[in-house]
Amino acid sequence: MKALVISVWGALMSALGILAIPVVLLVLSNIIDYGTGLAAAKYREEEVNSYKSIRGIAKKICMWLLVLVGFIVDQLLLYASSTVGIVLPFTYLIACVVAIWLVCNEIISILENISDIGVVLPPFLQPIVKNIKKQVEDKTTIEREEK
């Protein structure tokens, strides 16, 4: 069993390459956010019901789909560039940026959930995460052309 788990994990990490860490962090932050959200619901005087729970799970799955869309865009860029003879210095740039942005959102949500439960947050933690998110947004902003 141990060998099977290690083999599957190794194959997955190998297949994802540089995208492995952001994807693992996204899945981990999804699980933590879901759990802290359930715990914080009691302190927010909200009811925990199956509709909200299923909706939350659907949102997490859609986050994974966004990373998949980023992966598809990356593959299109690699294919198009190689077709015209351009070698790109990256493989999963768009997917990584999407995953990092989503992880930042999840961490912000986790911190809000923990705060709602009543835990005092270190004053520097949320601004750091928001700053990282803003840097990702600023570095990837594409200006629209005015018509």
Side-chain angles (χ1 to χ4, degrees), residues 25-90:
L25 291 175
L26 179 60
V27 171
L28 183 62
S29 63
N30 285 155
I31 293 167
I32 294 169
D33 182 49
Y34 187 77
T36 58
L38 286 175
K42 295 176 186 175
Y43 297 92
R44 294 180 184 141
E45 298 177 6
E46 294 178 7
E47 273 188 39
V48 178
N49 62 43
S50 60
Y51 173 75
K52 285 183 181 179
S53 189
I54 300 261
R55 188 169 167 244
I57 292 170
K59 284 174 67 175
K60 305 300 182 201
I61 291 170
C62 287
M63 288 179 186
W64 303 340
L65 292 175
L66 283 174
V67 175
L68 181 61
V69 167
F71 172 81
I72 292 168
V73 171
D74 283 328
Q75 293 305 308
L76 286 171
L77 288 171
L78 286 171
Y79 175 75
S81 64
S82 68
T83 300
V84 295
I86 299 171
V87 177
L88 296 178
F90 55 83

Side-chain angles (χ1 to χ4, degrees), residues 137-147:
E137 290 170 350
D138 290 348
K139 296 290 182 190
T140 58
T141 299
I142 299 173
E143 298 295 323
R144 293 184 182 186
E145 284 186 37
E146 297 296 322
K147 291 185 179 182

